[in-house]
Amino acid sequence: MSSPLIESVTEPLARVLALQRQAYAAHPVPTYAQRRADLLTLQRFVREHKDALCAAISADYGHRSRHETLLAEVFPVVDGVDHVLGELRSWMKPQRRSVDWRNFFGARNRVLAQPLGVVGVIVPWNFPLNLSLIPLTYIFAAGNRAMVKMSENSRHLAAYLIAHMPAYFPPEKLQFFDETGGVGVAFSQLKFDHLLFTGSGQTGRAVMAAAARNLCPVTLELGGKAPAIVCDSFPLHTAVERIMFVKLLNAGQICTTVDHAWLPTAKVAEFVTLARAIVAQRYPTLDSSDYTSIIDQRAFDRLLAALAQARARGAEVIPLLNGPAFDAASRKIAPHLVLNAPADCDLMQREIFGPVLPLRSYTDLAEVVAAVNAGPRPLAIYPFSHDAAQVQHLIDHVMSGGVSVNDALFHVGQHDLPFGGVGDSGMGHYHGHEGFETFSKMRPVFYQARWSSLKFLWPPYGKLADRVLSFLIR
C-alpha cells in the first residue's frame, strides 16, 4: 500500500506521464528529420549552457574540477550526439530477414525499429549530466519521450535543468524532476514503457521490484568491485600512470573506476613508490582545484571510517600527498593506497567509491581469477598485459560487464560499444546500436504474398497435405 507521501508526489508524475502518452499516441513514429532535430537541440542546450552546468555540478559537490566535468560529462554528450547522428539513418532502416521459401514462397520478413513510448530515467549524482543526457541521446534517437528523475545530491543541477530545459523541449517530450522526498519511489512505480536506472545494487533491486509490478522492462546499470590486473610483463610505470589517473578522476566516485589492483608480489613496493611521485605531480596539494570533493558528509565519513577500520585491523594505509590526509571543510580526502587489508573489512567487501586504492598481491594469475570469480560479477575488469593470450585468458575466465585492456574505464567512452553490467553489476545495455535497440521495439513484421502456398495445408486434410508435409520434413 502506498504511503501518503508517495501518493502526494505520484499525482504530478502521473500527469506528465499521461501527457507524454497522449503525445506519443498522436505521433507514435517520429521521422528521421524530427529525431535529428531533437538530437541537435539536446546538443545545442549543452553547448549554450556548459559553463552554468559545470558551475551547478561543482556547487552540488562542494567542489568539482571544471576540467573533469568538461572531459567526462560535457564532451561525451556533445561528441555522442555527433556519433548517433552519423548512424541514425541506417539504424532506422527496416531490417530484411530471410523467409522459408518452401512454406512462404513470395512472402517477406522485416524487423522495424519502432519507439516504445515513454522512457523513465533515474540518474545518480556522480555524473549527473552524462548519465541523464547520454541516455536521452539514444531515447530520442529511437523516437521516444522521456521523464528524468535527478538525485537528491544534484539539487543545483536539477534546478537548472528544470528551469532551462523547457525552452528547448516541451513537457510532452521531456521533463526533469528533482528528488524532494519520495519522488524516486513513486517514479519507479510508474507504468513506463522502459525504465533505466543507474545506481547502487541495493536500490537497483528495489527499482526492479517496483517495475516488475507493471511488467516494465528495466535496464540496470549498477556497480561492483572492478579490479585492475597488472601482469608481470607489463611496464609498471605505464600501469601506475593509467590506473592512478582513472582512480582519482572525480576523486574515485565512478562506478567503473578501478576499485582495487592486483599486482605481482615483487612489484607492490615499486607501485607505491611510483604512485607517490605521479600523484604528487598531478595534485601538489589537497586543495588543488583539479581535485574533486567527496559528494556529501555521509560519503566522507564512510570513507574515513573504512580507512580507520582497515588501519586498526593491521592494514598499512599510505596517504600519497604530503600534509593532511583529509580536509573536513572541503570534504576532500587525499589519495590513499592500502596494503594487506583484511578480506572481510569494508574496503574489500563494499564498492569503495572514493580515492582509496587497495593493492592485492599474487604469485599466479590463477589466484586472481579464483578470487574475482568468488565475488559478484564486476561491472568491468582491467587486464594490463601485452601478451594477447594472457589477456584473452582473463577475458575468457573472468566474466564482467565490460573490459578495457591496458587501461581502465575507457570502454565506457567508446560510442560504438554497448555499455552494461552482468549479474550483480546490472542488466541490459545502452550506448551504440544496442542503445538504440534497447529503447526501440524491434518489431517483427511478416508480409504474406498475394498467393499463399499454405492453402495446400488447409483442412480437410488429405493426400495432398500428406505429400506436402512429407516433402517439407523429408
Side-chain angles (χ1 to χ4, degrees), residues 52-53 56-57 60 128-129 132 150 154-162:
L53 293 168
I57 293 171
D60 285 325
L129 193 70
S132 57
M150 303 299 289
S154 298
R155 289 287 164 77
H156 292 88
L157 179 63
Y160 194 89
L161 293 170
I162 290 167

Side-chain angles (χ1 to χ4, degrees), residues 205-384:
R205 287 177 171 84
V207 167
M208 187 173 181
R213 289 194 284 270
N214 292 315
L215 294 180
C216 174
V218 296
T219 298
L220 301 178
E221 301 298 350
L222 309 177
K225 297 186 70 61
I229 305 168
V230 181
C231 296
D232 195 43
S233 60
F234 191 85
L236 189 61
H237 189 276
T238 302
V240 177
E241 285 184 319
R242 296 176 182 179
I243 289 170
M244 295 312 297
F245 171 68
V246 168
K247 182 62 182 183
L248 300 183
L249 185 69
N250 206 41
Q253 298 166 109
I254 310 175
C255 60
T256 44
T257 194
V258 178
D259 180 86
H260 57 283
W262 287 91
L263 299 162
T265 301
K267 294 195 172 183
V268 172
E270 186 182 356
F271 188 104
V272 173
T273 300
L274 290 169
R276 281 186 189 278
I278 289 168
V279 170
Q281 184 179 31
R282 293 175 181 171
Y283 309 101
T285 62
L286 190 57
D287 64 357
S288 167
S289 62
D290 294 329
Y291 194 56
T292 293
S293 297
I294 302 303
I295 186 65
D296 62 15
Q297 193 64 42
R298 183 174 64 175
F300 181 81
D301 293 342
R302 175 184 62 80
L303 287 164
L304 292 183
L307 284 169
Q309 180 198 52
R311 184 185 292 109
R313 298 189 54 195
E316 184 179 358
V317 176
I318 306 170
L320 297 179
L321 293 180
N322 293 325
F326 62 89
D327 179 65
S330 62
R331 291 198 310 276
K332 288 188 176 184
I333 297 176
H336 282 72
L337 299 179
V338 179
L339 309 184
N340 303 315
D344 60 348
C345 74
D346 287 348
L347 289 176
M348 303 311 298
Q349 290 296 313
R350 297 179 55 183
E351 185 176 10
I352 294 171
F353 230 70
V356 178
L357 181 66
L359 303 182
R360 304 188 67 179
S361 63
Y362 70 90
T363 56
D364 189 313
L365 272 178
E367 301 171 42
V368 181
V369 171
V372 177
N373 286 338
R377 287 176 166 176
L379 187 53
I381 61 167
Y382 302 125
F384 286 76

Side-chain angles (χ1 to χ4, degrees), residues 7 20-21 71 126 206 243 264 272 305 372 419 447 463 474:
E7 291 174 359
Q20 294 197 358
R21 282 207 182 286
L71 173 66
N126 60 328
I243 289 170
V272 173
V372 177
F419 171 63
Y447 300 85
K463 291 184 178 180
R474 70 188 186 285

Side-chain angles (χ1 to χ4, degrees), residues 388-403:
Q390 198 171 51
V391 170
Q392 193 59 49
H393 178 84
L394 290 170
I395 292 173
D396 289 344
H397 289 84
V398 181
M399 176 54 69
S400 67
V403 184

Side-chain angles (χ1 to χ4, degrees), residues 155-184:
R155 289 287 164 77
H156 292 88
L157 179 63
Y160 194 89
L161 293 170
I162 290 167
H164 293 89
M165 196 63 87
Y168 293 77
F169 292 99
E172 62 268 23
K173 182 70 180 182
L174 172 64
Q175 188 147 339
F176 284 83
F177 299 89
D178 194 6
E179 178 56 79
T180 55
V183 176

Side-chain angles (χ1 to χ4, degrees), residues 425-440:
S425 59
M427 64 178 68
H429 294 93
Y430 69 102
H431 295 193
H433 188 217
E434 288 80 1
F436 177 81
E437 290 192 342
T438 288
F439 300 118
S440 299

